[in-house]
Amino acid sequence: MEKENTIIKGEILLGIIFALELYALPVQFYLLLKGPGFTFFSAAVRFFSFFTITTNTIVFFCTAFLLFGGRCKLNAFFKKCTTITAVTVYILIVGMVFNLLLRHIVDLKGHHLIVSEIFHSVVPVLFFSYWLFFVSPQRISFKVILGWLVYPILYIIYTLFHGITTNFYPYPFIDATKLGFKTALVNGLFVLIAFVVLSVILISISRLRKEV
């Protein structure tokens, strides 16, 4: 009975995260599409140029498969402790970078503020809570961090080269136009170091919980 209650509580938490993403992602895209000079295609490119959006989209699909995936092979993939831990690292980085580096330089109101808080504060805390309390811990190898870094590395490469061609950079600390390519690249490397450190912390927690 206790195990069933735990599963139900975990599914409720997943349902809340899923509902929040189902609201925030389309609303954010609509708000962007309303901006001057955007076609649907250009708005979509700009939308997915933000690490916040791509990562919250990953969280959306992760929760969707965990809730509704059934026997789908992707559901089995998303159920792995390794996968959920990686997604937890990604979404925590979203929250940490925004709240430590960006919150003081943005002035958001209305729906912009609501979706920003969902993306950068509410979902990171809720998803971390799901990982901590409802995911069975495993003794994850530290070697998996190399694989986890593929996503942020590809994002940084895309952002820098996309910025060169369009002069658009989604985040000021990686704006090569203002900072110079070398400084932007160094800042990107610092973000990758943050990924590694946070990954080590979460893997260590999982390993310790497994041994208890």
Side-chain angles (χ1 to χ4, degrees):
M1 179 66 75
E2 183 178 349
K3 184 177 181 181
E4 291 180 358
N5 289 335
T6 300
I7 293 174
I8 292 173
K9 290 177 181 177
E11 289 180 346
I12 291 173
L13 184 53
L14 283 175
I16 293 171
I17 298 170
F18 175 79
L20 288 169
E21 296 286 24
L22 191 61
Y23 162 77
L25 287 167
V27 168
Q28 182 64 69
F29 182 72
Y30 172 73
L31 293 172
L32 182 60
L33 190 59
K34 283 176 59 181
F38 279 114
T39 63
F40 185 89
F41 177 76
S42 63
V45 172
R46 179 66 58 89
F47 186 67
F48 288 108
S49 292
F50 287 88
F51 190 80
T52 291
I53 298 300
T54 56
T55 305
N56 274 275
T57 301
I58 290 172
V59 171
F60 170 75
F61 281 110
C62 181
T63 55
F65 277 105
L66 290 174
L67 287 168
F68 313 115
R71 296 182 179 180
C72 174
K73 289 183 179 179
L74 277 176
N75 185 38
F77 169 75
F78 281 114
K79 277 188 174 180
K80 292 181 179 179
C81 179
T82 304
T83 303
I84 299 178
T85 305
V87 176
T88 305
V89 171
Y90 299 150
I91 196 63
L92 284 178
I93 287 291
V94 167
M96 291 169 61
V97 169
F98 178 82
N99 286 288
L100 293 176
L101 301 178
L102 304 175
R103 179 176 288 277
H104 69 285
I105 64 174
V106 297
D107 182 21
L108 303 173
K109 293 180 174 60
H111 286 294
H112 289 283
L113 177 60
I114 293 172
V115 296
S116 178
E117 291 303 323
I118 290 173
F119 289 148
H120 300 113
S121 299
V122 181
V123 168
V125 170
L126 292 182
F127 200 84
F128 174 72
S129 298
Y130 174 75
W131 172 82
L132 185 62
F133 297 111
F134 300 105
V135 176
S136 298
Q138 293 182 5
R139 188 175 176 80
I140 303 172
S141 171
F142 290 107
K143 293 179 181 179
V144 301
I145 296 176
L146 292 176
W148 293 359
L149 286 175
V150 171
Y151 165 47
I153 288 174
L154 288 177
Y155 175 80
I156 290 172
I157 293 173
Y158 162 79
T159 299
L160 289 174
F161 284 96
H162 179 254
I164 291 173
T165 58
T166 64
N167 203 34
F168 169 75
Y169 296 90
Y171 304 106
F173 57 83
I174 203 170
D175 189 337
T177 301
K178 294 181 179 179
L179 302 175
F181 190 85
K182 181 179 179 181
T183 300
L185 185 59
V186 169
N187 289 343
L189 290 176
F190 278 119
V191 173
L192 290 178
I193 292 172
F195 271 101
V196 173
V197 172
L198 188 58
S199 297
V200 169
I201 292 173
L202 263 62
I203 289 175
S204 298
I205 292 173
S206 183
R207 290 161 70 103
L208 288 172
R209 290 178 62 215
K210 180 66 176 177
E211 294 173 0
V212 174

